[in-house]
Amino acid sequence: MCFSPEGVRSPFCDMSYSGLLDAMRSGTVLESRALSFDAQRRLHFRLGSFPAVMPHEECADGVADGKIRDIALVTRVGRPVCFVITHVEIEHGSPLFYLSRTAVQRRCREEYLDRLVPGDILPCRITRAEPFGAFCDVGCGISALIPVDCLSVSRISSAHDRVRAGDDVYCAVKGRDAQGRLVLTMKELLGSWSENAARFAAGETVVGIVRSSEPYGVFIELAPNLSGLAEASDELLPGMLVSVFIKSILPEKMKIKLAVLSVSDDGDFRFPLRFSLTQGHLSRWRYSPEESARNIETVFDGGSCFAVE
């Protein structure tokens, strides 16, 4: 995709002088690793054997009006950055290519992001995980937020429990914030209760992660979109890795009854993300089984997205 997240794009192979001129004339979106940020607040690159520079206001859409601070540009050093070549000048007898990330980001918004509606599915790359949610690159370095309660059905205390920087994920558009920035949701792409429960059977012993402890029992995650309930215990704390025996699976009650067998000290364990959908559009997503009296679903309706339970 022309407007893929930074770091995902296939490398541009023809770094000859004529190849770079062709890319400039065609407006091809390229990507290279930023090597430095100088005192004039410019990013520097190497395109094959040729030096290239990105003027300050071309480093990101929003720099010119102060929405993007220099710290965001400094952190690009050592990382892949997308751009188009705007022009080339001969300096000291050698060509110097001038680049613009700003132009690419404006094109990305106009031709891609601004056309997305709630329910549209898109690839993203996680850039930062915070307690309240995860920031991700939705295209050409443009950021969007996945709120923590949208990362999975299984409740987590921080986005770091589910994703890490560099993870490639898929999300659906949930809506936009007051500034018009995309707000995303991931849980609708991780499978329904039935789809996840079908991977397990009563009588099995499997691994789980303690997510919360209540007076009536302990919720243990078996998959990002599936949890079961074990007997209450003061010794089981959120984040603990445990082995559990599956006593029963009850689709009509949407419950899985568990018995904890042992506790591990691996507090960094995460379940892999298995996406049931990776492209297209969702109009409606039902989590609860058909035989359950409960109806838990997300409705993506035109310009809005809302949950029903």
Side-chain angles (χ1 to χ4, degrees):
M1 184 175 68
C2 178
F3 302 120
S4 58
E6 289 179 321
V8 175
R9 191 182 316 279
S10 299
F12 179 70
C13 295
D14 190 356
M15 291 290 185
S16 66
Y17 184 68
S18 60
L20 293 172
L21 289 180
D22 287 343
M24 179 183 69
R25 296 187 190 101
S26 64
T28 301
V29 179
L30 308 178
E31 188 171 274
S32 183
R33 198 173 301 276
L35 301 178
S36 65
F37 185 71
D38 66 19
Q40 295 174 271
R41 302 153 78 193
R42 304 178 301 175
L43 284 169
H44 289 261
F45 303 80
R46 198 85 187 171
L47 305 183
S49 60
F50 304 102
V53 64
M54 186 176 290
H56 183 244
E57 292 191 357
E58 302 301 328
C59 288
D61 188 21
V63 168
D65 54 17
K67 293 180 180 178
I68 301 295
R69 296 183 296 174
D70 280 2
I71 185 61
L73 309 182
V74 172
T75 58
R76 298 316 305 169
V77 175
R79 298 180 180 180
V81 175
C82 66
F83 54 81
V84 290
I85 302 172
T86 59
H87 64 286
V88 59
E89 296 181 4
I90 304 300
E91 298 188 7
H92 308 293
S94 300
L96 175 64
F97 287 90
Y98 282 78
L99 316 176
S100 175
R101 186 173 180 237
T102 297
V104 172
Q105 291 185 337
R106 287 176 179 171
R107 278 178 53 192
C108 181
R109 285 192 172 92
E110 294 170 2
E111 300 176 22
Y112 173 45
L113 298 178
D114 288 351
R115 301 181 183 183
L116 296 175
V117 298
D120 284 347
I121 299 169
L122 67 159
C124 315
R125 172 163 284 190
I126 303 298
T127 56
R128 192 169 87 250
E130 300 286 352
F132 56 85
F135 289 97
C136 60
D137 181 345
V138 291
C140 303
I142 297 173
S143 184
L145 176 68
I146 315 171
V148 67
D149 62 339
C150 293
L151 284 165
S152 62
V153 172
S154 178
R155 295 182 180 180
I156 51 178
S157 58
S158 170
H160 193 260
D161 294 334
R162 184 68 65 220
V163 293
R164 309 285 169 85
D167 287 352
D168 290 316
V169 302
Y170 295 91
C171 294
V173 175
K174 183 179 182 183
R176 297 181 186 271
D177 64 14
Q179 288 74 44
R181 297 170 298 194
L182 287 175
V183 178
L184 307 174
T185 179
M186 192 171 77
K187 63 185 180 183
E188 290 83 0
L189 308 184
L190 295 174
S192 66
W193 191 94
S194 296
E195 289 170 333
N196 281 277
R199 293 161 37 204
F200 302 93
E204 288 184 327
T205 298
V206 299
V207 69
I209 303 173
V210 177
R211 286 306 182 197
S212 67
S213 181
E214 307 294 341
Y216 53 84
V218 178
F219 284 99
I220 297 174
E221 177 183 312
L222 303 179
N225 266 13
L226 187 71
S227 292
L229 189 67
E231 290 185 2
S233 171
D234 295 333
E235 298 179 358
L236 296 177
L237 302 176
M240 282 183 169
L241 185 68
V242 296
S243 65
V244 293
F245 177 77
I246 301 176
K247 298 165 65 177
S248 62
I249 299 176
L250 309 170
E252 67 280 2
K253 295 183 178 180
M254 209 163 67
K255 290 183 178 180
I256 299 179
K257 294 183 179 181
L258 306 172
V260 177
L261 302 181
S262 64
V263 179
S264 169
D265 59 359
D266 187 357
D268 202 45
F269 178 85
R270 292 185 300 151
F271 286 110
L273 299 175
R274 298 186 178 186
F275 293 93
S276 58
L277 290 171
T278 59
Q279 60 184 345
H281 177 85
L282 267 178
S283 297
R284 193 181 210 97
W285 176 75
R286 180 181 168 108
Y287 176 69
S288 47
E290 292 296 331
E291 55 265 56
S292 173
R294 299 177 66 188
N295 178 30
I296 301 173
E297 65 178 347
T298 304
V299 179
F300 299 92
D301 184 19
S304 62
C305 165
F306 55 95
V308 176
E309 183 169 353

